[in-house]
Amino acid sequence: MAKVPLSKLVKFYFRFTPSYSAIGYHLRSLLWSRRPNQFGDQTWLVTGGSEGIGASAARQAAEGGARVICVARDARKLEAFAHSVKAPIAIRHLTADFSRMREVYALLENIRNEGLQLDVLVNNVGIQKHQMVLTDEGLETSFATNILSHHILLKGLLEDGILKDGATVIEVSSGGMYNHRMVVDDLNITEPERYAGPRAYGLAKRAQVMAMAYWREKQAHLQQRFYAMHPGWVNTASVNRSMPRFVAILKSVLRDHEQGADTIVYLARERPAQRRPEAIWFDRKERTTHIYAHTPDDAVTPRDVVHWLDDQAAASKAHAARYSAATAAFTASRDSSSPSTTGARPGACST
């Protein structure tokens, strides 16, 4: 990857640090009202809910009286976080790796079988990779984790009527989208020579924003609200792993997790009207999705993005079905040849 010129870095930090860091948060928050979080009788589903921004949003929702279900891939982290929260209703947790679409479909099946009804969905799980890594389903990892899994989960919840008519959906996007014009066919680049980690991440984040615009229009008759938000520059474990230089430079002014989650909680609590068809919310205010002249492209619509994701989701569902069938066949073959069914002593206990 080519090095960014020093002059460009200086200009970048000079322009955005006062706004996206904790400095901007503290200055803007001086003008905010301090309304209590009252989420009694609500059920929340928070992905990427074991740490960082997602965990902070989940904690605030639970402390406000919501029934909260956190989803992440690490069961131990989820359990430790759930036990750390003192709330009227204990946080529940489910495990799923959002880089594997078969696990997202399995999560949907679990939710469906429980008969859950959701008031708030926070699609927060995300990852940024410097090098291209393909999943065992043949997808580029950041594409799979940051947008395709989000789309599959949201569409499944909508189709099954699990999201209530007045539900709120919040996509945790990023300012990483701002430098990237949407090119739909580049969302899932699987050729190493064409791959650039920041661009893959930025395109996925822009796709999140465009998907919210699509669903906002399509579901308007149900009074459902769809928002994309930018948490600012937050000192999370993920940012430390993917952007250590950035953290080293700005650590003293990066936002903490609660500051990063503030707009998530605000949107769920207030459900403000949105003027623009496509917007990103930052520090409790609706903002434009384009700050550079080279990124707008009227030829690519939110519908184009969602329909392309539908095609990718259909392919991944077929792959998940084949995987499930192969796993079932393997299990049946193994069980048929195990001692429990081939000559085990009567009364013997097989494991």
Side-chain angles (χ1 to χ4, degrees), residues 306-334:
V306 169
H307 286 184
W308 189 85
L309 289 171
D310 282 341
D311 291 341
Q312 302 300 308
S316 72
K317 190 170 188 177
H319 186 284
R322 291 193 297 270
Y323 181 91
S324 179
T327 301
F330 173 79
T331 302
S333 175
R334 181 192 60 193

PDB file of all heavy atoms in Angstrom, residues 306-334:
ATOM      1  N   VAL A 306     -29.205  -2.699  -2.617  1.00  0.00           N
ATOM      2  CA  VAL A 306     -29.966  -3.737  -1.921  1.00  0.00           C
ATOM      3  C   VAL A 306     -30.247  -4.917  -2.843  1.00  0.00           C
ATOM      4  O   VAL A 306     -30.144  -6.084  -2.415  1.00  0.00           O
ATOM      5  CB  VAL A 306     -31.271  -3.151  -1.351  1.00  0.00           C
ATOM      6  CG1 VAL A 306     -32.200  -4.256  -0.859  1.00  0.00           C
ATOM      7  CG2 VAL A 306     -30.938  -2.198  -0.198  1.00  0.00           C
ATOM      8  N   HIS A 307     -30.573  -4.670  -4.091  1.00  0.00           N
ATOM      9  CA  HIS A 307     -30.837  -5.780  -5.010  1.00  0.00           C
ATOM     10  C   HIS A 307     -29.572  -6.598  -5.258  1.00  0.00           C
ATOM     11  O   HIS A 307     -29.637  -7.827  -5.390  1.00  0.00           O
ATOM     12  CB  HIS A 307     -31.410  -5.251  -6.320  1.00  0.00           C
ATOM     13  CG  HIS A 307     -32.838  -4.809  -6.193  1.00  0.00           C
ATOM     14  ND1 HIS A 307     -33.593  -4.363  -7.253  1.00  0.00           N
ATOM     15  CD2 HIS A 307     -33.663  -4.750  -5.115  1.00  0.00           C
ATOM     16  CE1 HIS A 307     -34.811  -4.057  -6.842  1.00  0.00           C
ATOM     17  NE2 HIS A 307     -34.865  -4.278  -5.544  1.00  0.00           N
ATOM     18  N   TRP A 308     -28.427  -5.934  -5.328  1.00  0.00           N
ATOM     19  CA  TRP A 308     -27.166  -6.666  -5.484  1.00  0.00           C
ATOM     20  C   TRP A 308     -26.887  -7.508  -4.238  1.00  0.00           C
ATOM     21  O   TRP A 308     -26.468  -8.667  -4.342  1.00  0.00           O
ATOM     22  CB  TRP A 308     -26.027  -5.678  -5.730  1.00  0.00           C
ATOM     23  CG  TRP A 308     -24.734  -6.322  -6.117  1.00  0.00           C
ATOM     24  CD1 TRP A 308     -24.319  -6.698  -7.359  1.00  0.00           C
ATOM     25  CD2 TRP A 308     -23.660  -6.689  -5.220  1.00  0.00           C
ATOM     26  NE1 TRP A 308     -23.059  -7.255  -7.301  1.00  0.00           N
ATOM     27  CE2 TRP A 308     -22.641  -7.269  -6.003  1.00  0.00           C
ATOM     28  CE3 TRP A 308     -23.485  -6.576  -3.851  1.00  0.00           C
ATOM     29  CZ2 TRP A 308     -21.450  -7.720  -5.451  1.00  0.00           C
ATOM     30  CZ3 TRP A 308     -22.298  -7.040  -3.292  1.00  0.00           C
ATOM     31  CH2 TRP A 308     -21.300  -7.607  -4.092  1.00  0.00           C
ATOM     32  N   LEU A 309     -27.152  -6.950  -3.078  1.00  0.00           N
ATOM     33  CA  LEU A 309     -26.985  -7.711  -1.838  1.00  0.00           C
ATOM     34  C   LEU A 309     -27.947  -8.891  -1.792  1.00  0.00           C
ATOM     35  O   LEU A 309     -27.594  -9.971  -1.287  1.00  0.00           O
ATOM     36  CB  LEU A 309     -27.197  -6.806  -0.624  1.00  0.00           C
ATOM     37  CG  LEU A 309     -26.109  -5.768  -0.363  1.00  0.00           C
ATOM     38  CD1 LEU A 309     -26.549  -4.797   0.730  1.00  0.00           C
ATOM     39  CD2 LEU A 309     -24.785  -6.418   0.013  1.00  0.00           C
ATOM     40  N   ASP A 310     -29.155  -8.712  -2.318  1.00  0.00           N
ATOM     41  CA  ASP A 310     -30.105  -9.827  -2.390  1.00  0.00           C
ATOM     42  C   ASP A 310     -29.521 -10.991  -3.190  1.00  0.00           C
ATOM     43  O   ASP A 310     -29.667 -12.161  -2.801  1.00  0.00           O
ATOM     44  CB  ASP A 310     -31.415  -9.374  -3.044  1.00  0.00           C
ATOM     45  CG  ASP A 310     -32.309  -8.577  -2.108  1.00  0.00           C
ATOM     46  OD1 ASP A 310     -32.116  -8.672  -0.880  1.00  0.00           O
ATOM     47  OD2 ASP A 310     -33.200  -7.876  -2.608  1.00  0.00           O
ATOM     48  N   ASP A 311     -28.873 -10.678  -4.309  1.00  0.00           N
ATOM     49  CA  ASP A 311     -28.266 -11.724  -5.129  1.00  0.00           C
ATOM     50  C   ASP A 311     -27.152 -12.444  -4.372  1.00  0.00           C
ATOM     51  O   ASP A 311     -27.047 -13.678  -4.419  1.00  0.00           O
ATOM     52  CB  ASP A 311     -27.702 -11.126  -6.426  1.00  0.00           C
ATOM     53  CG  ASP A 311     -28.780 -10.640  -7.383  1.00  0.00           C
ATOM     54  OD1 ASP A 311     -29.945 -11.076  -7.238  1.00  0.00           O
ATOM     55  OD2 ASP A 311     -28.464  -9.821  -8.263  1.00  0.00           O
ATOM     56  N   GLN A 312     -26.332 -11.674  -3.675  1.00  0.00           N
ATOM     57  CA  GLN A 312     -25.253 -12.275  -2.890  1.00  0.00           C
ATOM     58  C   GLN A 312     -25.816 -13.116  -1.747  1.00  0.00           C
ATOM     59  O   GLN A 312     -25.290 -14.184  -1.421  1.00  0.00           O
ATOM     60  CB  GLN A 312     -24.336 -11.178  -2.335  1.00  0.00           C
ATOM     61  CG  GLN A 312     -23.700 -10.291  -3.374  1.00  0.00           C
ATOM     62  CD  GLN A 312     -22.833 -11.064  -4.344  1.00  0.00           C
ATOM     63  OE1 GLN A 312     -21.951 -11.832  -3.942  1.00  0.00           O
ATOM     64  NE2 GLN A 312     -23.072 -10.878  -5.635  1.00  0.00           N
ATOM     65  N   ALA A 313     -26.893 -12.638  -1.135  1.00  0.00           N
ATOM     66  CA  ALA A 313     -27.515 -13.376  -0.037  1.00  0.00           C
ATOM     67  C   ALA A 313     -28.105 -14.695  -0.524  1.00  0.00           C
ATOM     68  O   ALA A 313     -28.005 -15.723   0.162  1.00  0.00           O
ATOM     69  CB  ALA A 313     -28.602 -12.520   0.617  1.00  0.00           C
ATOM     70  N   ALA A 314     -28.710 -14.678  -1.714  1.00  0.00           N
ATOM     71  CA  ALA A 314     -29.280 -15.913  -2.263  1.00  0.00           C
ATOM     72  C   ALA A 314     -28.191 -16.948  -2.489  1.00  0.00           C
ATOM     73  O   ALA A 314     -28.369 -18.141  -2.187  1.00  0.00           O
ATOM     74  CB  ALA A 314     -30.018 -15.610  -3.559  1.00  0.00           C
ATOM     75  N   ALA A 315     -27.052 -16.503  -3.028  1.00  0.00           N
ATOM     76  CA  ALA A 315     -25.937 -17.427  -3.254  1.00  0.00           C
ATOM     77  C   ALA A 315     -25.409 -17.960  -1.921  1.00  0.00           C
ATOM     78  O   ALA A 315     -25.090 -19.158  -1.801  1.00  0.00           O
ATOM     79  CB  ALA A 315     -24.827 -16.722  -4.029  1.00  0.00           C
ATOM     80  N   SER A 316     -25.322 -17.103  -0.925  1.00  0.00           N
ATOM     81  CA  SER A 316     -24.799 -17.545   0.369  1.00  0.00           C
ATOM     82  C   SER A 316     -25.777 -18.484   1.065  1.00  0.00           C
ATOM     83  O   SER A 316     -25.360 -19.407   1.770  1.00  0.00           O
ATOM     84  CB  SER A 316     -24.500 -16.338   1.265  1.00  0.00           C
ATOM     85  OG  SER A 316     -25.685 -15.736   1.734  1.00  0.00           O
ATOM     86  N   LYS A 317     -27.079 -18.284   0.836  1.00  0.00           N
ATOM     87  CA  LYS A 317     -28.070 -19.179   1.444  1.00  0.00           C
ATOM     88  C   LYS A 317     -27.977 -20.566   0.840  1.00  0.00           C
ATOM     89  O   LYS A 317     -28.093 -21.576   1.549  1.00  0.00           O
ATOM     90  CB  LYS A 317     -29.470 -18.606   1.256  1.00  0.00           C
ATOM     91  CG  LYS A 317     -30.533 -19.346   2.055  1.00  0.00           C
ATOM     92  CD  LYS A 317     -31.858 -18.604   2.049  1.00  0.00           C
ATOM     93  CE  LYS A 317     -32.848 -19.258   3.005  1.00  0.00           C
ATOM     94  NZ  LYS A 317     -34.121 -18.508   3.058  1.00  0.00           N
ATOM     95  N   ALA A 318     -27.751 -20.632  -0.479  1.00  0.00           N
ATOM     96  CA  ALA A 318     -27.572 -21.924  -1.137  1.00  0.00           C
ATOM     97  C   ALA A 318     -26.322 -22.617  -0.605  1.00  0.00           C
ATOM     98  O   ALA A 318     -26.320 -23.830  -0.360  1.00  0.00           O
ATOM     99  CB  ALA A 318     -27.492 -21.733  -2.644  1.00  0.00           C
ATOM    100  N   HIS A 319     -25.259 -21.838  -0.407  1.00  0.00           N
ATOM    101  CA  HIS A 319     -24.019 -22.397   0.146  1.00  0.00           C
ATOM    102  C   HIS A 319     -24.261 -22.915   1.564  1.00  0.00           C
ATOM    103  O   HIS A 319     -23.793 -24.005   1.922  1.00  0.00           O
ATOM    104  CB  HIS A 319     -22.929 -21.327   0.153  1.00  0.00           C
ATOM    105  CG  HIS A 319     -21.580 -21.834   0.562  1.00  0.00           C
ATOM    106  ND1 HIS A 319     -21.257 -22.107   1.872  1.00  0.00           N
ATOM    107  CD2 HIS A 319     -20.470 -22.121  -0.169  1.00  0.00           C
ATOM    108  CE1 HIS A 319     -20.005 -22.530   1.946  1.00  0.00           C
ATOM    109  NE2 HIS A 319     -19.504 -22.545   0.710  1.00  0.00           N
ATOM    110  N   ALA A 320     -25.013 -22.148   2.371  1.00  0.00           N
ATOM    111  CA  ALA A 320     -25.300 -22.567   3.740  1.00  0.00           C
ATOM    112  C   ALA A 320     -26.116 -23.852   3.760  1.00  0.00           C
ATOM    113  O   ALA A 320     -25.897 -24.726   4.609  1.00  0.00           O
ATOM    114  CB  ALA A 320     -26.046 -21.452   4.478  1.00  0.00           C
ATOM    115  N   ALA A 321     -27.056 -23.987   2.820  1.00  0.00           N
ATOM    116  CA  ALA A 321     -27.878 -25.198   2.749  1.00  0.00           C
ATOM    117  C   ALA A 321     -27.016 -26.407   2.394  1.00  0.00           C
ATOM    118  O   ALA A 321     -27.188 -27.493   2.966  1.00  0.00           O
ATOM    119  CB  ALA A 321     -28.985 -25.019   1.721  1.00  0.00           C
ATOM    120  N   ARG A 322     -26.098 -26.220   1.451  1.00  0.00           N
ATOM    121  CA  ARG A 322     -25.197 -27.329   1.087  1.00  0.00           C
ATOM    122  C   ARG A 322     -24.313 -27.711   2.263  1.00  0.00           C
ATOM    123  O   ARG A 322     -24.067 -28.895   2.520  1.00  0.00           O
ATOM    124  CB  ARG A 322     -24.342 -26.935  -0.118  1.00  0.00           C
ATOM    125  CG  ARG A 322     -25.126 -26.800  -1.426  1.00  0.00           C
ATOM    126  CD  ARG A 322     -24.196 -26.732  -2.626  1.00  0.00           C
ATOM    127  NE  ARG A 322     -23.339 -25.568  -2.592  1.00  0.00           N
ATOM    128  CZ  ARG A 322     -23.654 -24.390  -3.125  1.00  0.00           C
ATOM    129  NH1 ARG A 322     -24.835 -24.228  -3.711  1.00  0.00           N
ATOM    130  NH2 ARG A 322     -22.817 -23.378  -3.066  1.00  0.00           N
ATOM    131  N   TYR A 323     -23.820 -26.704   2.986  1.00  0.00           N
ATOM    132  CA  TYR A 323     -22.972 -26.967   4.145  1.00  0.00           C
ATOM    133  C   TYR A 323     -23.748 -27.736   5.210  1.00  0.00           C
ATOM    134  O   TYR A 323     -23.250 -28.698   5.799  1.00  0.00           O
ATOM    135  CB  TYR A 323     -22.461 -25.646   4.713  1.00  0.00           C
ATOM    136  CG  TYR A 323     -21.553 -25.796   5.907  1.00  0.00           C
ATOM    137  CD1 TYR A 323     -20.172 -25.905   5.748  1.00  0.00           C
ATOM    138  CD2 TYR A 323     -22.067 -25.819   7.210  1.00  0.00           C
ATOM    139  CE1 TYR A 323     -19.327 -26.040   6.845  1.00  0.00           C
ATOM    140  CE2 TYR A 323     -21.238 -25.957   8.307  1.00  0.00           C
ATOM    141  CZ  TYR A 323     -19.879 -26.062   8.118  1.00  0.00           C
ATOM    142  OH  TYR A 323     -19.053 -26.204   9.202  1.00  0.00           O
ATOM    143  N   SER A 324     -24.991 -27.308   5.451  1.00  0.00           N
ATOM    144  CA  SER A 324     -25.822 -27.969   6.456  1.00  0.00           C
ATOM    145  C   SER A 324     -26.099 -29.412   6.075  1.00  0.00           C
ATOM    146  O   SER A 324     -26.032 -30.320   6.914  1.00  0.00           O
ATOM    147  CB  SER A 324     -27.136 -27.207   6.614  1.00  0.00           C
ATOM    148  OG  SER A 324     -27.983 -27.828   7.555  1.00  0.00           O
ATOM    149  N   ALA A 325     -26.384 -29.642   4.780  1.00  0.00           N
ATOM    150  CA  ALA A 325     -26.656 -31.000   4.314  1.00  0.00           C
ATOM    151  C   ALA A 325     -25.412 -31.878   4.445  1.00  0.00           C
ATOM    152  O   ALA A 325     -25.493 -33.041   4.864  1.00  0.00           O
ATOM    153  CB  ALA A 325     -27.134 -30.967   2.869  1.00  0.00           C
ATOM    154  N   ALA A 326     -24.253 -31.329   4.096  1.00  0.00           N
ATOM    155  CA  ALA A 326     -23.003 -32.088   4.196  1.00  0.00           C
ATOM    156  C   ALA A 326     -22.682 -32.412   5.652  1.00  0.00           C
ATOM    157  O   ALA A 326     -22.238 -33.525   5.977  1.00  0.00           O
ATOM    158  CB  ALA A 326     -21.859 -31.298   3.562  1.00  0.00           C
ATOM    159  N   THR A 327     -22.921 -31.435   6.540  1.00  0.00           N
ATOM    160  CA  THR A 327     -22.670 -31.657   7.963  1.00  0.00           C
ATOM    161  C   THR A 327     -23.596 -32.738   8.517  1.00  0.00           C
ATOM    162  O   THR A 327     -23.174 -33.612   9.277  1.00  0.00           O
ATOM    163  CB  THR A 327     -22.867 -30.350   8.745  1.00  0.00           C
ATOM    164  OG1 THR A 327     -21.971 -29.352   8.238  1.00  0.00           O
ATOM    165  CG2 THR A 327     -22.612 -30.559  10.230  1.00  0.00           C
ATOM    166  N   ALA A 328     -24.869 -32.674   8.120  1.00  0.00           N
ATOM    167  CA  ALA A 328     -25.825 -33.676   8.584  1.00  0.00           C
ATOM    168  C   ALA A 328     -25.451 -35.067   8.088  1.00  0.00           C
ATOM    169  O   ALA A 328     -25.546 -36.050   8.828  1.00  0.00           O
ATOM    170  CB  ALA A 328     -27.230 -33.299   8.111  1.00  0.00           C
ATOM    171  N   ALA A 329     -25.010 -35.144   6.820  1.00  0.00           N
ATOM    172  CA  ALA A 329     -24.617 -36.435   6.263  1.00  0.00           C
ATOM    173  C   ALA A 329     -23.397 -36.991   6.978  1.00  0.00           C
ATOM    174  O   ALA A 329     -23.318 -38.192   7.277  1.00  0.00           O
ATOM    175  CB  ALA A 329     -24.338 -36.283   4.765  1.00  0.00           C
ATOM    176  N   PHE A 330     -22.437 -36.111   7.281  1.00  0.00           N
ATOM    177  CA  PHE A 330     -21.233 -36.541   7.991  1.00  0.00           C
ATOM    178  C   PHE A 330     -21.592 -37.044   9.392  1.00  0.00           C
ATOM    179  O   PHE A 330     -21.101 -38.088   9.840  1.00  0.00           O
ATOM    180  CB  PHE A 330     -20.245 -35.384   8.088  1.00  0.00           C
ATOM    181  CG  PHE A 330     -19.051 -35.685   8.950  1.00  0.00           C
ATOM    182  CD1 PHE A 330     -17.994 -36.444   8.476  1.00  0.00           C
ATOM    183  CD2 PHE A 330     -18.997 -35.215  10.264  1.00  0.00           C
ATOM    184  CE1 PHE A 330     -16.903 -36.733   9.288  1.00  0.00           C
ATOM    185  CE2 PHE A 330     -17.914 -35.498  11.078  1.00  0.00           C
ATOM    186  CZ  PHE A 330     -16.860 -36.256  10.581  1.00  0.00           C
ATOM    187  N   THR A 331     -22.470 -36.297  10.076  1.00  0.00           N
ATOM    188  CA  THR A 331     -22.866 -36.688  11.431  1.00  0.00           C
ATOM    189  C   THR A 331     -23.592 -38.027  11.426  1.00  0.00           C
ATOM    190  O   THR A 331     -23.336 -38.892  12.269  1.00  0.00           O
ATOM    191  CB  THR A 331     -23.770 -35.597  12.043  1.00  0.00           C
ATOM    192  OG1 THR A 331     -23.062 -34.355  12.060  1.00  0.00           O
ATOM    193  CG2 THR A 331     -24.192 -35.974  13.446  1.00  0.00           C
ATOM    194  N   ALA A 332     -24.483 -38.202  10.448  1.00  0.00           N
ATOM    195  CA  ALA A 332     -25.218 -39.466  10.356  1.00  0.00           C
ATOM    196  C   ALA A 332     -24.274 -40.624  10.079  1.00  0.00           C
ATOM    197  O   ALA A 332     -24.407 -41.713  10.649  1.00  0.00           O
ATOM    198  CB  ALA A 332     -26.268 -39.369   9.260  1.00  0.00           C
ATOM    199  N   SER A 333     -23.297 -40.401   9.205  1.00  0.00           N
ATOM    200  CA  SER A 333     -22.321 -41.444   8.884  1.00  0.00           C
ATOM    201  C   SER A 333     -21.471 -41.798  10.088  1.00  0.00           C
ATOM    202  O   SER A 333     -21.226 -42.972  10.373  1.00  0.00           O
ATOM    203  CB  SER A 333     -21.434 -40.975   7.729  1.00  0.00           C
ATOM    204  OG  SER A 333     -20.408 -41.899   7.473  1.00  0.00           O
ATOM    205  N   ARG A 334     -21.048 -40.769  10.831  1.00  0.00           N
ATOM    206  CA  ARG A 334     -20.230 -41.007  12.022  1.00  0.00           C
ATOM    207  C   ARG A 334     -21.017 -41.751  13.081  1.00  0.00           C
ATOM    208  O   ARG A 334     -20.523 -42.692  13.699  1.00  0.00           O
ATOM    209  CB  ARG A 334     -19.753 -39.659  12.581  1.00  0.00           C
ATOM    210  CG  ARG A 334     -18.860 -39.761  13.811  1.00  0.00           C
ATOM    211  CD  ARG A 334     -18.676 -38.417  14.458  1.00  0.00           C
ATOM    212  NE  ARG A 334     -19.973 -37.878  14.878  1.00  0.00           N
ATOM    213  CZ  ARG A 334     -20.152 -36.611  15.258  1.00  0.00           C
ATOM    214  NH1 ARG A 334     -19.149 -35.766  15.233  1.00  0.00           N
ATOM    215  NH2 ARG A 334     -21.359 -36.206  15.644  1.00  0.00           N
TER     216      ARG A 334
END
